[in-house]
Amino acid sequence: MQTGTQPPISPNEAIRSLLARLARPARLLVAVSGGSDSLGLLLSLVRHPHEGITLLAVTVDHGLRAASALEAAEVSRICQGLGIPHVTKTWLGDKPATGVAAAAREARYRLLCEAADEVRATAILTGHTLDDQIETVTMRAARASEPDAPGLAGMAEAVLLRRRHWLLRPFLRTRREDIRMVLDRFDQDWLEDPSNADPRSERVRTRLALAEKPAVLLDQIDAVSRRRQDIADSAAEWLSAYANVQHSVLMQVPVEGLSADPVVLRYALSTSIAILGGREQGPAGLTLGKLVDACRLDTPWKMTAGRVLIDRRRSGLYLCRENRNLPSLTLNAGEAAIWDGRFRVTNRGDEPLSLVPTRNPKGAAGLFEEAPPSVALRAAGVLPPEPVEGSGGTATEGFFCRPLLAPFDRFLPQFDLSVAGAFAKLMGCDDFAPVPIEDSVRKR
């Protein structure tokens, strides 16, 4: 594997760097599968001085193989020998017939967050390595159609899960063979997951192919990471300078904001459309290209992308959710749900509560200042849902609603933290928790 002029770092260097940048006191929950990478991470942490830091471990048993429960028990035994509290979280219930890998990943994140809640963890740590990073970039490059595709930056060193727990990857610049040398030095065996040798997996096929030809250079990954970070930071600055969002549903951009760097404008508009449309992903690349090109035109135009109507007027650009296919919803007492992908709604009352789309858009149109009347009318029709009178007693009693940032609320890479914070301010929702370590991306 080639790494370029920027060499990988040893497991010891990676752990020293993490511990030096971590605020104390801290409670670190290490995800340990029993494989070499995660066991190497746990053992390296244990062997380093970590005053002010509590180490805990969790194993997620996906229940997809007969031996998985025994493997989790073996990890528990190893942790007990190291004096590390350990818990196993099991993915229960029926498994999907297709898309198992994606479903397992979602279950894993959910269970890791549950475990972190229970132990009040400062952060979750995983053993993803430089080998994993290069495989990831190689797979994404094979699918990417654009040179600035965000995925080509690889996995972020830190990811915020479900808005409440940071997941850290301290070994992203460390080779797997170096981690295994640490385990050999301490005479620690590890488990081998047979799925890691199954050629039906894209990652396994990629790993085998990389063994026969030069790999992506670490320098290349670093360069793309810096580029992605710069684009996100510039988009955050653009949003702060030009975007205005009213009542969490209507975005207005003045004409002068449309002459920005096309790459920055593309990123900002893609994310804006995803948020206003309640989608986790922005529109396809071809659609975004047409949108950015159209922003250079002086004449009025309209287009639809990702459930969002984009309306170019002489006064600027207006974006809001299409006024169609808006759902109704019933919440039981104490229940919370996501409405239209855009709002998280909660019934804090004692009775079921029925919610319907806004029923009087004409009366609400005056809420949108300086917007053309037809734009204001459309925006009023996609406001948060209204409780139905007669359901749950007083309709508004116990009803709570807050905006949801669909691309970021479930999974927020560190790269995008600045732009997520800008949107949180624009949409009127809570900001995101800061990364519990210094920003390493900017220091490369």
Side-chain angles (χ1 to χ4, degrees):
M1 178 184 299
Q2 296 187 14
T3 55
T5 59
Q6 188 72 256
I9 63 175
S10 70
N12 283 337
E13 290 176 284
I15 296 305
R16 281 199 300 267
S17 174
L18 171 70
L19 297 178
R21 295 178 292 148
L22 194 67
R24 288 163 168 77
R27 296 173 66 82
L28 302 182
L29 180 65
V30 186
V32 186
S33 66
S36 60
D37 304 341
S38 58
L39 272 179
L41 174 60
L42 181 64
L43 195 63
S44 297
L45 285 164
V46 170
R47 301 296 179 182
H48 276 76
H50 49 273
E51 290 83 5
I53 295 176
T54 301
L55 298 178
L56 310 107
V58 58
T59 299
V60 175
D61 178 4
H62 296 91
L64 297 174
R65 294 182 293 109
S68 63
L70 291 176
E71 292 169 355
E74 175 62 14
V75 173
S76 181
R77 185 193 66 77
I78 294 171
C79 289
Q80 184 178 11
L82 295 171
I84 303 297
H86 173 270
V87 65
T88 296
K89 290 286 185 178
T90 304
W91 183 21
L92 301 174
D94 295 333
K95 309 301 188 290
T98 60
V100 174
R105 182 169 55 251
E106 286 299 311
R108 181 163 61 252
Y109 289 147
R110 173 177 57 81
L111 293 170
L112 288 175
C113 285
E114 284 183 10
D117 287 337
E118 292 168 3
V119 300
R120 303 185 304 281
T122 304
I124 302 165
L125 271 59
T126 64
H128 291 99
T129 67
L130 176 57
D131 302 75
D132 296 318
Q133 180 73 298
I134 290 176
E135 291 164 7
T136 297
V137 172
T138 301
M139 290 188 294
R140 292 176 179 176
R143 297 191 292 264
S145 58
E146 305 155 19
D148 281 317
L152 298 182
M155 294 181 282
E157 289 185 298
V159 175
L160 185 62
L161 300 178
R162 299 173 180 260
R163 254 189 180 266
R164 65 184 193 268
H165 291 297
W166 279 101
L167 182 148
L168 309 180
R169 297 165 171 148
F171 277 171
L172 270 190
R173 304 177 70 80
T174 301
R175 296 284 303 277
R176 176 169 293 120
E177 65 184 59
D178 294 331
I179 298 169
R180 291 183 172 182
M181 287 174 62
V182 171
L183 293 173
D184 288 339
R185 193 177 306 132
F186 292 105
D187 198 27
Q188 176 63 64
D189 293 331
W190 61 85
L191 302 171
E192 291 285 3
D193 184 343
S195 64
N196 289 332
D198 187 346
R200 290 176 296 181
S201 162
E202 179 188 13
R203 183 171 292 275
V204 173
R205 294 195 302 273
T206 301
R207 185 176 303 144
L208 294 173
L210 287 172
E212 300 176 0
K213 65 180 181 179
V216 178
L217 300 180
L218 181 54
D219 286 353
Q220 293 173 324
I221 298 174
D222 285 348
V224 179
S225 295
R226 287 192 295 269
R227 174 64 172 156
R228 176 174 178 182
Q229 186 71 66
D230 289 344
I231 292 171
D233 290 347
S234 296
E237 293 173 2
W238 182 89
L239 288 162
S240 298
Y242 298 111
N244 174 44
V245 176
Q246 297 190 44
H247 301 284
S248 306
V249 298
L250 175 65
M251 175 178 284
Q252 301 166 281
V253 179
V255 173
E256 54 266 29
L258 303 181
S259 59
D261 178 343
V263 174
V264 174
L265 187 62
R266 180 189 184 99
Y267 177 87
L269 291 178
S270 174
T271 310
S272 299
I273 291 168
I275 288 173
L276 294 170
R279 298 280 180 86
E280 291 190 357
Q281 301 290 335
L286 183 60
T287 300
L288 282 173
K290 292 179 179 178
L291 173 59
V292 172
D293 289 343
C295 285
R296 299 291 193 255
L297 303 176
D298 292 330
T299 55
W301 50 265
K302 293 180 184 179
M303 65 182 294
T304 301
R307 303 200 309 178
V308 171
L309 179 65
I310 303 105
D311 192 343
R312 171 69 157 91
R313 302 293 181 99
R314 296 190 183 278
S315 56
L317 195 69
Y318 297 87
L319 301 90
C320 73
R321 164 78 160 90
E322 291 181 279
N323 193 349
R324 63 186 182 89
N325 299 327
L326 297 168
S328 298
L329 180 67
T330 298
L331 292 178
N332 293 321
E335 187 177 14
I338 294 174
W339 181 79
D340 197 43
R342 299 183 293 130
F343 293 91
R344 188 180 303 278
V345 291
T346 305
N347 178 11
R348 295 178 175 172
D350 298 326
E351 301 292 336
L353 188 64
S354 296
L355 305 174
V356 297
T358 304
R359 294 171 294 178
N360 186 22
K362 291 185 178 180
L367 294 171
F368 300 92
E369 301 174 359
E370 300 180 4
S374 60
V375 171
L377 185 62
R378 286 198 304 269
V382 296
L383 284 166
E386 297 178 336
V388 176
E389 291 289 347
S391 70
T394 303
T396 57
E397 183 181 351
F399 175 57
F400 180 75
C401 177
R402 75 164 182 85
L404 180 74
L405 306 186
F408 305 129
D409 273 53
R410 183 185 62 86
F411 191 87
L412 171 58
Q414 182 182 4
F415 299 120
D416 299 323
L417 183 57
S418 60
V419 76
F423 272 110
K425 184 175 181 180
L426 286 170
M427 299 292 289
C429 57
D430 294 340
D431 202 355
F432 295 85
V435 185
I437 57 173
E438 293 181 10
D439 187 347
S440 58
V441 172
R442 302 175 194 278
K443 294 181 180 293
R444 293 182 188 168

